[in-house]
Amino acid sequence: MRKLVFVFISVLLFFSGTALFAEGKADTSDKTVLTYVYWGSPAEDKAIKNALSAFEGAHPGITVEPMYLPGDLDGSTYNAKMKALAASGKLPDVGYFRPEEFGNYAEKDFFLKLDDLIARDNMDKTYIPQTWLKIEGNTYGAYTAAECQVMWYNKDVLKEAGVPLPPTDYTKAWTWDQFVDYLKMITIDTNGKHPGESGFDSGNVARYGVSYDLWSAMYYPSVWSNGGGIISEDGKSVLLDKPETIEAFQNISDLMNVYNVMPLMSGGTNISPSIMMANKQLGFWVTGQWTLLELGAMKNLNLGVAALPIMKKPAQIYLSGVNVVFNSSKNPEEAWELQKWMMNPEKTLDLYTSGLWMPTKESFYSSEADLAKWLDNDVHPEGYREAVVNSMKISVNEPIKIRNINQIWGDYLNAAVESIWIGKSSAKDALTEAAEKIRKSGLLQGTY
Amino acid sequence: MSFKKRGMNDRRQNLWGWILISPLVMGLTLWVVFPMGLSIFTSMTRWDMISKPEFVGFQNYIEIFTKDELFLKSIRNTVYFTLLSVPMQMLVALMGALLLNSSINGKGVFRTIFYLPSLIPIVVSSIMWLWMYNHQYGLINFFLNNLGLDKVKWIDSTEMVIPSLSIMNIWNIGNVIVIFLAGLQGIPDDLMEAVEIDGGNSWHKFHFVILPLLSPIILYNMIVSLIKCLQLFVEPYIMTNGGPVNSSLSFVLHIYNNAFKYGKMGMANAMAWVLFILTMFISLIIFKTSDQWTYYEGDKK
């Protein structure tokens, strides 16, 4: 009897013990295993996996395990996952990191300091200066790619609507008023009437002029183009209630609520503009340049690219995910090798020719031979170089080093901006109120 | 049997009792009691999950009520949702159960149909409803439009978003119906016959027999439903992200944002305890007042 009890308890303890202290499977092979973490669309997932396989092929001693976290637009799922991994000490070796959380983690020493490695491998001369992300003078990460805002359009739709093809030189783009006039020409309801004509039915629009992606980074170019700002660069003051900022937001809101040339926001989800554009239900789409990966693969879409419309002056944003090597990596040398591989367009050319990324390597902007490597193909439409690549000259980095920027957006800005988009309040009222609240919130604590 | 021996026996029986419930006790300790204790501790710290927690006492609790702008709004949204959903769910589920309890042909098929939505993962049904509610291309507005009515901005207007989520929630009442059905099956036929003999109609049956005998079940379903509604999270998280303009920001979503978006784990834990106390308080009120309207067989009033 007593024996039975003893056995029973031992078995129980054994099981609970193994459950508690079970660590990851022991690595018995002599191969180095690296985990590469990233987000992105299914197409991006495929492209990254190919690049990682190529790396394995070139480095027989190293196995790379992809950790793909299909992200949401604002990256909160990715951030949550990273926090959980960090708290449980299971961070991967190398990979993507959300830019708005970069400073926070860099400050707390989660990333490998790259300065010595960059100097050793002569990386600082060969990459464009915006690539390296520094916190207090030390480099902790590199932008994954050069990415920005673009305006795509369906050439067939513009021809049908009798709209002239837009300029591609980013300094000579359409003015905002011209742009709105052309959008009215493209937009028609199911009875073939345009906005402004009597009897136009805004509830049943067959074809819209434009769709703007509505999330934080996509607002900056319009705001900057109008001479406004959101939070000052030092993270200490709010520029949200400047008249220029208000006007920029009101302009985009009017596209939806006054001129009816843009689909209304629907729960953050609408029919994907890429599908609408391919179906000729949409003329222009203002979005991130990475969408070319999807659009370039659509064979029946007659894709064009236009310079972004100018409110007061040309503007462009430089944004991207960040690539980091985690400090907890047991193989920092190999992890750095992998990061260099992913940063080198020569090795991962598919990621650039397919339209997903623009390179960070300097020669791919300055040398004609290198430019041809990634731009001369069926994916990149005519004029891409003038409208997009050249506009990077005036690009301003996305302000990611402002402390609490996540909460400022999450608790105040998103709500204010949404109330403008759904036509509930004017840009002036919403932004003035939000600016006051942010000033009072105590969240403005400078930068990392 | 001597006194002493019985003591031995008792002790042995106790030991066996403990041995047999030990897995459950371990599980509860490990996965419930310990995390709750940890959560109380965490709620008194400032902790972003990636650096050392800093003890701040009741600071978080004070800030929830003094500094947090969205606390009241999120509580209001959640309570509004609950007040709409619980009565609606009880009513529809009771009607559904009565229908499924009647002697119609193909009862089994209907029971399956009513229960099916509960088998669909909530994330999937959220995305499905998102499309149905779409202002421009949604199924619901398509029908309204064909009937010559105006399109409704279901989840795109601050006024309609919570009612929309409530309507959507009726979809998941399979479990409630099953419990009601079980209760209905337990109502003795002789009582029904007695009503018939006395010349009563269906309404009398419902009013004088079914409702009183079902009242404990209604109470149970109400409490469970209420707790579920107060924990509204997945639908706003997937469908609206708390928008538009925070009008569908549920309290749990607010907790989630603080924990995982803004790295305020301490604050989020404090909020979770506030929710716990609130839920307990409301449940208690319902329990205490339930004597007025529930009837247990064998009760003496």
Side-chain angles (χ1 to χ4, degrees):
Chain A
M1 179 67 236
R2 198 176 293 170
K3 213 184 263 178
L4 191 74
V5 173
F6 176 73
V7 168
F8 187 79
I9 288 179
S10 322
V11 168
L12 248 168
L13 278 174
F14 174 76
F15 274 115
S16 52
T18 46
L20 268 179
F21 303 110
E23 267 303 313
K25 54 179 191 294
D27 203 0
T28 47
S29 68
D30 51 356
K31 270 198 163 182
T32 309
V33 180
L34 294 174
T35 311
Y36 189 89
V37 64
Y38 59 100
W39 68 78
S41 63
E44 183 166 352
D45 174 37
K46 220 174 99 193
I48 295 289
K49 283 200 170 100
N50 289 341
L52 295 176
S53 305
F55 176 80
E56 283 180 333
H59 301 76
I62 305 176
T63 315
V64 184
E65 286 184 354
M67 186 196 268
Y68 170 50
L69 308 173
D72 43 346
L73 210 51
D74 66 351
S76 64
T77 323
Y78 198 85
N79 280 333
K81 175 84 182 176
M82 280 297 138
K83 280 219 165 73
L85 289 171
S88 60
K90 288 189 169 32
L91 281 168
D93 295 280
V94 58
Y96 289 23
F97 207 81
R98 293 289 316 174
E100 69 277 1
E101 282 281 345
F102 171 79
N104 186 13
Y105 281 68
E107 198 180 38
K108 296 183 174 74
D109 228 13
F110 274 86
F111 307 139
L112 191 67
K113 237 181 79 177
L114 303 174
D115 298 276
D116 299 348
L117 294 164
I118 293 167
R120 185 192 73 190
D121 298 342
N122 287 324
M123 301 272 288
D124 44 351
K125 310 270 188 303
T126 46
Y127 284 79
I128 52 178
Q130 280 154 315
T131 309
W132 307 108
L133 283 151
K134 293 186 170 67
I135 298 285
E136 286 159 9
N138 298 318
T139 312
Y140 288 103
Y143 270 129
T144 314
E147 308 190 73
C148 63
Q149 191 176 57
V150 295
M151 184 154 86
W152 308 118
Y153 62 92
N154 183 331
K155 281 183 179 167
D156 300 338
V157 169
L158 266 64
K159 278 191 193 112
E160 274 171 39
V163 172
L165 293 188
T168 51
D169 181 342
Y170 74 94
T171 57
K172 298 191 177 72
W174 281 339
T175 63
W176 189 257
D177 294 341
Q178 274 176 313
F179 182 51
V180 172
D181 286 341
Y182 288 131
L183 293 179
K184 285 182 199 160
M185 284 169 68
I186 297 171
T187 309
I188 45 172
D189 69 5
T190 40
N191 304 320
K193 287 199 184 310
H194 294 276
E197 291 180 5
S198 67
F200 172 75
D201 179 3
S202 63
N204 287 298
V205 175
R207 190 173 68 200
Y208 281 104
V210 66
S211 176
Y212 264 78
D213 281 3
L214 297 176
W215 56 282
S216 54
M218 290 287 127
Y219 305 144
Y220 287 109
S222 306
V223 170
W224 291 337
S225 173
N226 210 37
I230 290 178
I231 307 283
S232 67
E233 212 172 327
D234 61 6
K236 290 196 175 122
S237 49
V238 184
L239 312 173
L240 205 55
D241 43 2
K242 280 176 69 176
E244 294 86 355
T245 315
I246 290 168
E247 189 186 28
F249 276 102
Q250 193 60 53
N251 279 345
I252 296 176
S253 166
D254 289 349
L255 295 178
M256 285 179 273
N257 301 308
V258 177
Y259 304 120
N260 306 111
V261 294
M262 172 170 163
L264 293 171
M265 198 176 89
S266 187
T269 324
N270 231 327
I271 290 200
S272 152
S274 56
I275 307 279
M276 285 179 75
M277 208 156 70
N279 290 345
K280 298 189 183 176
Q281 293 167 311
L282 182 66
F284 289 96
W285 182 23
V286 182
T287 178
Q289 109 299 328
W290 55 87
T291 47
L292 185 55
L293 181 66
E294 186 188 353
L295 297 173
M298 293 180 175
K299 287 285 165 267
N300 51 2
L301 170 66
N302 196 351
L303 184 72
V305 62
L308 294 171
I310 297 171
M311 291 186 189
K312 287 198 177 73
K313 58 175 191 245
Q316 182 57 282
I317 186 169
Y318 184 114
L319 80 152
S320 173
V322 180
N323 257 47
V324 296
V325 175
F326 290 93
N327 233 345
S328 54
S329 172
K330 291 188 180 66
N331 306 299
E333 249 329 306
E334 287 84 353
W336 170 243
E337 269 315 302
L338 177 54
Q339 168 153 345
K340 274 200 311 193
W341 181 278
M342 298 305 278
M343 286 175 74
N344 186 350
E346 305 280 0
K347 307 287 187 201
T348 55
L349 202 55
D350 280 357
L351 294 168
Y352 304 91
T353 53
S354 62
L356 176 66
W357 289 349
M358 293 197 293
T360 48
K361 200 168 181 171
E362 200 275 328
S363 68
F364 278 67
Y365 291 89
S366 53
S367 129
E368 286 298 329
D370 280 348
L371 274 162
K373 274 184 200 164
W374 67 285
L375 287 176
D376 283 0
N377 49 48
D378 300 343
V379 172
H380 291 82
E382 207 182 334
Y384 186 89
R385 195 165 151 182
E386 296 81 48
V388 187
V389 181
N390 293 351
S391 76
M392 293 310 272
K393 286 182 199 139
I394 55 157
S395 66
V396 177
N397 277 26
E398 183 191 11
I400 59 169
K401 291 185 186 172
I402 295 167
R403 283 175 195 274
N404 301 322
I405 190 76
N406 248 352
Q407 189 166 0
I408 292 171
W409 275 106
D411 274 357
Y412 300 98
L413 281 173
N414 285 337
V417 170
E418 270 169 17
S419 69
I420 304 171
W421 297 159
I422 63 172
K424 203 176 155 71
S425 53
S426 70
K428 189 171 178 12
D429 295 347
L431 296 179
T432 312
E433 190 192 1
E436 282 312 310
K437 280 183 182 168
I438 295 168
R439 285 187 187 109
K440 279 200 210 113
S441 69
L443 290 170
L444 293 170
Q445 294 164 356
T447 56
Y448 289 110
Chain B
M1 197 186 272
S2 77
F3 202 67
K4 203 172 171 185
K5 195 154 182 179
R6 191 170 341 141
M8 283 281 289
N9 248 347
D10 267 6
R11 212 173 316 154
R12 178 169 293 181
Q13 281 199 335
N14 278 345
L15 184 67
W16 268 111
W18 276 110
I19 288 173
L20 291 174
I21 62 166
S22 60
L24 183 70
V25 171
M26 271 186 184
L28 276 174
T29 314
L30 210 59
W31 308 123
V32 179
V33 180
F34 175 66
M36 275 172 100
L38 202 62
S39 167
I40 291 180
F41 168 75
T42 310
S43 75
M44 297 189 182
T45 61
R46 192 171 290 134
W47 185 45
D48 63 358
M49 288 176 78
I50 56 171
S51 44
K52 285 210 157 46
E54 163 198 353
F55 191 80
V56 293
F58 284 99
Q59 191 61 38
N60 286 332
Y61 291 91
I62 295 164
E63 275 183 22
I64 290 174
F65 293 101
T66 54
K67 271 182 100 173
D68 186 351
E69 274 227 4
L70 292 173
F71 167 71
L72 271 182
K73 186 156 180 81
S74 62
I75 287 277
R76 216 181 50 210
N77 290 338
T78 310
V79 169
Y80 177 35
F81 172 80
T82 309
L83 287 177
L84 276 179
S85 297
V86 175
M88 219 155 45
Q89 282 185 10
M90 292 303 108
L91 203 70
V92 176
L94 190 54
M95 288 193 317
L98 285 170
L99 279 174
L100 295 178
N101 198 35
S102 56
S103 48
I104 43 169
N105 290 334
K107 223 167 20 180
V109 176
F110 284 111
R111 283 183 186 181
T112 313
I113 290 172
F114 273 74
Y115 193 70
L116 264 182
S118 302
L119 296 176
I120 298 174
I122 189 156
V123 173
V124 177
S125 61
S126 295
I127 290 173
M128 200 174 73
W129 278 85
L130 188 63
W131 284 112
M132 287 174 28
Y133 276 141
N134 185 297
H135 174 241
Q136 189 73 13
Y137 307 102
L139 190 68
I140 300 174
N141 276 353
F142 173 76
F143 281 123
L144 289 180
N145 207 32
N146 282 357
L147 294 170
L149 298 164
D150 274 349
K151 288 180 174 176
V152 179
K153 289 186 179 176
W154 292 101
I155 50 171
D156 307 318
S157 70
T158 46
E159 298 80 15
M160 278 306 293
V161 61
I162 291 279
S164 299
L165 294 182
S166 274
I167 293 167
M168 172 188 161
N169 238 275
I170 293 179
W171 162 260
N172 284 326
I173 52 170
N175 291 319
V176 186
I177 291 184
V178 168
I179 294 167
F180 272 141
L181 255 176
L184 285 172
Q185 307 273 323
I187 292 175
D189 285 342
D190 47 354
L191 287 176
M192 295 294 200
E193 282 167 17
V195 177
E196 276 174 31
I197 289 165
D198 289 345
N201 56 19
S202 305
W203 167 249
H204 292 129
K205 278 186 199 173
F206 178 72
H207 188 246
F208 293 110
V209 179
I210 294 179
L211 261 189
L213 287 182
L214 218 54
S215 56
I217 311 257
I218 296 176
L219 172 69
Y220 169 82
N221 274 335
M222 221 163 104
I223 300 267
V224 171
S225 227
L226 178 103
I227 292 172
K228 260 196 186 154
C229 287
L230 287 174
Q231 294 181 350
L232 171 74
F233 168 71
V234 177
E235 295 91 333
Y237 173 69
I238 299 237
M239 293 168 74
T240 59
N241 205 352
V245 203
N246 291 331
S247 55
S248 65
L249 183 80
S250 74
F251 191 47
V252 178
L253 183 58
H254 189 44
I255 293 175
Y256 172 89
N257 285 346
N258 271 281
F260 294 106
K261 266 194 184 169
Y262 314 147
K264 296 187 161 181
M265 211 19 125
M267 183 62 95
N269 272 289
M271 285 180 190
W273 280 97
V274 170
L275 176 68
F276 175 75
I277 288 158
L278 181 85
T279 310
M280 214 161 70
F281 184 68
I282 298 178
S283 304
L284 266 177
I285 289 177
I286 293 180
F287 261 115
K288 288 286 174 216
T289 54
S290 67
D291 310 352
Q292 318 290 327
W293 54 270
T294 49
Y295 168 81
Y296 295 92
E297 268 184 296
D299 258 13
K300 294 211 171 33
K301 287 223 167 168

